[in-house]
């Protein structure tokens, strides 16, 4: 068995979750992983696989056997006839994106960071923004799963279809994913148009902006009436990346370097936040650039933060955002991070935040180390009044009783879990809360 060792403390990316597993294992194959699950059962220990720790919840935390994905990486095969790629579960999205680009291929849509492993990103429902194209999990065509009894299941629409239907966003509750097959398409170009826009205009024109663009999103800067919008649409080219200097100023200096300083100052002296927000939100200028998808969809995020995100019925999002703005204006809260709004079409995955409904997302962030409770609690109250569904990997306080109300297929998922993992080999405190005993 490779990589089995004693325990050390595991921490997530944001540093808000820690765990002390009884032991850690780094399997180099699905067979080794299955063996680790069987050994855990003999020792009466639970099992959790971790990715890169980009979840803000304790979804991967365990005091049992921690499975690290570092050796389960790489592309197994590319099938050009079926237009699919099969990758090991621990492969980081950035490696997948770069490998696909070399082959002249691309995913259809993706989120805005690519540090996560493919299994971690899909299991928690990571998504970008899209009018017609959905989350990364919705692009899965097949997956391989080690279940509680140590068996290896191939799942697709043809094999074990009822498991496939749920396990694409499985929260780690149904088994450990060892490989994923994604649908891919020939590489294409996207033109991004970023443009500052007043809050009242964005919210007033939201339906049109959504309808006219393949990928629309915007950010509102709290304490201001300013937003930044981003429209990504397919383009004939030519490739025209952001200029080296302007790209560095926007993506590195403003989004990471300067932003880090501003957040640190805001944490030390919260009273400075509104005036900084007014200046920095006005400093943005419009820009247009064209490149291959992953270079347009994703951007580096080095400023550490804690995040909560809720999925709402799309028609409710503008009203809910206006409630959040009113809340910030009448409260003593000082918020240095922009509020992000994205969309997704309805999909057919049981625990997808867009399951069965046209969806829009509102994400709120707080700089790491800043007390976020008051803000998140107040925003969560607004979201739950609209039957909001929280992102599985981001901060929230909801439990199984709530999810049974907002997910029509919740009972279908929990019944499948009872069948596949009756002893809760893959259980932990987070799953007890969100899925029930």
């Amino acid at each position: 068995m490779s990589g089995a060792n004693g325990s050390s403390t595991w921490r997530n990316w944001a540093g808000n979750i820690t765990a002390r597993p009884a032991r850690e294992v780094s399997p180099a194959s699905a067979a080794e992983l299955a063996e680790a699950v069987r050994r855990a059962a003999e020792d009466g220990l639970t099992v959790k696989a971790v990715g890169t720790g980009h979840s803000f919840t304790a979804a991967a935390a365990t005091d049992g056997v921690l499975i690290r994905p570092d050796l389960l990486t790489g592309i197994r095969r590319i099938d050009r006839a079926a237009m699919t790629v099969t990758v090991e579960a621990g492969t980081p999205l950035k490696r997948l994106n770069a490998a696909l680009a070399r082959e002249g291929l691309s995913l259809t849509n993706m989120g805005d960071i690519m540090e996560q492993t493919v299994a971690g990103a899909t299991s928690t429902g990571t998504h970008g923004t899209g009018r017609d194209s959905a989350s990364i999990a919705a692009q899965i065509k097949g997956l391989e799963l080690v279940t509680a009894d140590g068996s290896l299941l191939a799942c697709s629409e043809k094999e074990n279809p009822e498991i496939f239907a749920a396990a694409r966003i499985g929260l780690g509750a149904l088994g450990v994913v060892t490989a994923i097959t994604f649908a891919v398409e020939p590489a294409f170009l996207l033109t991004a148009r970023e443009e500052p826009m007043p809050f009242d205009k964005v919210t007033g024109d939201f339906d049109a902006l959504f309808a006219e663009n393949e990928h629309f999103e915007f950010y509102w800067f709290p304490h201001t009436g300013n937003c930044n919008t981003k429209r990504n649409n397919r383009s004939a080219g030519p490739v025209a990346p952001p200029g080296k200097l302007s790209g560095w100023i926007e993506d590195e200096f403003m989004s990471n370097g300067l932003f880090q300083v501003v957040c640190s100052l805001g944490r030390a002296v919260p009273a400075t936040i509104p005036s900084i927000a007014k200046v920095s939100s006005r400093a943005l200028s419009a820009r247009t650039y064209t490149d291959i998808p992953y270079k347009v969809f994703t951007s580096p995020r080095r400023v550490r933060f804690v995040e909560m995100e809720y999925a709402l019925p799309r028609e409710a999002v503008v009203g809910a955002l206006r409630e959040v703005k009113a809340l910030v204006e009448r409260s003593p809260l000082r918020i240095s991070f922009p509020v992000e709004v994205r969309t997704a079409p309805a999909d057919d995955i049981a625990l997808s935040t867009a399951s069965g409904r046209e969806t829009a997302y509102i994400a709120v962030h707080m700089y790491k180390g800043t007390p976020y409770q008051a803000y998140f609690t107040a925003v969560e109250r607004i979201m739950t009044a609209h039957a909001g569904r929280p992102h599985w990997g981001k901060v929230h306080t909801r439990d199984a009783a709530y999810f049974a109300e907002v997910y029509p297929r919740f009972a279908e998922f929990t019944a499948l879990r009872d069948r596949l993992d009756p002893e809760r080999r893959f259980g932990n405190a987070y799953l007890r809360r969100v899925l029930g005993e």
Side-chain angles (χ1 to χ4, degrees):
M1 188 72 225
S2 62
N5 62 19
S7 150
S8 55
T9 300
W10 174 83
R11 254 186 195 77
N12 68 340
W13 178 82
N16 65 318
I17 305 285
T18 55
R20 283 198 73 90
R23 65 173 181 252
E24 292 185 14
V25 183
S26 298
S29 66
E32 281 189 13
L33 200 154
E35 176 58 27
V37 171
R38 287 192 290 270
R39 279 196 44 210
E42 286 164 19
D43 298 341
L45 294 169
T46 55
V47 178
K48 289 312 303 177
V50 296
T52 51
H54 267 266
S55 287
F56 301 94
T57 60
T62 185
D63 55 7
V65 178
L66 183 81
I67 293 182
R68 290 198 177 266
D70 318 31
L71 303 179
L72 280 173
T73 64
I75 293 188
R76 276 194 196 177
R77 66 182 168 274
I78 291 173
D79 182 338
R80 287 184 184 272
M83 286 305 279
T84 59
V85 59
T86 301
V87 284
E88 304 289 344
T91 308
L93 283 166
K94 58 184 175 190
R95 266 189 67 185
L96 170 63
N97 286 332
L100 288 175
R102 283 197 301 273
E103 299 285 342
L105 300 168
S106 179
L107 293 171
T108 300
N109 198 358
M110 62 194 77
D112 67 350
I113 50 175
M114 52 176 181
E115 305 303 313
Q116 314 102 308
T117 62
V118 293
T122 54
S123 296
T124 53
T126 297
H127 61 91
T129 189
R131 181 187 60 201
D132 316 301
S133 53
S135 72
I136 314 181
Q139 298 168 64
I140 295 178
K141 289 290 175 202
L143 53 85
E144 187 182 82
L145 193 69
V146 170
T147 53
D149 60 5
S151 51
L152 192 62
L153 296 184
C155 306
S156 66
E157 283 173 0
K158 294 188 180 67
E159 286 182 282
N160 298 304
E162 74 297 347
I163 298 174
F164 176 71
R168 286 172 288 169
I169 297 181
L171 315 185
L174 305 177
V176 179
V177 175
T178 50
I180 298 177
T181 300
F182 291 102
V184 292
E185 56 176 307
F188 54 94
L189 295 175
L190 284 173
T191 292
R193 183 168 148 216
E194 295 175 10
E195 183 189 359
M197 200 178 280
F199 181 90
D200 294 336
K201 182 166 174 54
V202 183
T203 51
D205 295 351
F206 177 73
D207 289 337
L209 287 162
F210 163 78
E212 288 160 13
N213 295 284
E214 290 169 69
H215 308 274
F216 175 68
E217 65 187 299
F218 71 92
Y219 301 82
W220 164 61
F221 296 86
H223 313 294
T224 78
N226 305 329
C227 295
N228 199 29
T229 62
K230 185 173 180 182
R231 295 165 239 206
N232 295 332
N233 289 287
R234 294 194 183 210
S235 146
V239 170
K244 279 274 191 292
L245 180 64
S246 69
W248 180 83
I249 289 171
E250 290 276 341
D251 298 326
E252 284 306 317
F253 180 63
M254 288 179 68
S255 301
N256 286 302
L258 180 65
F259 192 44
Q260 177 80 50
V261 173
V262 164
C263 288
S264 303
L265 175 62
R267 182 170 68 184
V269 192
T272 60
I273 288 175
S275 44
I276 293 173
K278 286 183 177 66
V279 172
S280 57
S281 64
R282 281 200 211 102
L284 291 165
S285 49
R287 62 173 182 160
T288 301
Y289 51 96
T290 301
D291 216 325
I292 58 173
Y294 85 85
K295 294 186 176 179
V296 173
F297 283 132
T298 70
S299 47
R301 292 269 183 276
R302 280 188 279 282
V303 179
R304 307 235 165 181
F305 53 84
V306 179
E307 180 178 0
M308 181 174 77
E309 180 184 69
Y310 265 81
L312 305 178
R314 200 179 69 234
E315 63 277 8
V317 75
V318 168
L321 183 66
R322 286 181 178 140
E323 289 176 59
V324 172
K325 187 168 187 276
L327 157 82
V328 170
E329 282 165 4
R330 67 167 184 265
S331 78
L333 294 168
R334 295 292 173 257
I335 313 300
S336 58
F337 256 87
V339 175
E340 182 180 24
V341 176
R342 297 180 290 172
T343 69
D347 66 40
D348 64 349
I349 306 171
L351 292 189
S352 165
T353 46
S355 184
R357 75 184 186 195
E358 291 282 320
T359 294
Y361 298 92
I362 295 180
V364 295
H365 311 66
M366 282 291 248
Y367 182 50
K368 179 187 169 180
T370 315
Y372 60 83
Q373 224 78 33
Y375 178 39
F376 283 14
T377 301
V379 171
E380 192 171 42
R381 204 168 290 138
I382 293 169
M383 301 302 150
T384 54
H386 293 282
R389 299 167 178 171
H391 189 301
W392 296 108
K394 298 177 186 177
V395 175
H396 67 88
T397 66
R398 304 295 88 194
D399 61 13
Y402 179 84
F403 293 125
E405 287 174 22
V406 297
Y407 282 99
R409 295 166 60 191
F410 189 73
E412 178 190 318
F413 187 94
T414 54
L416 181 64
R417 182 192 186 206
D418 288 342
R419 197 182 99 206
L420 288 177
D421 188 13
E423 294 177 0
R424 302 295 188 255
R425 182 70 47 221
F426 303 113
N428 65 2
Y430 181 70
L431 292 181
R432 274 195 295 282
R433 169 160 75 93
V434 301
L435 297 178
E437 298 294 340

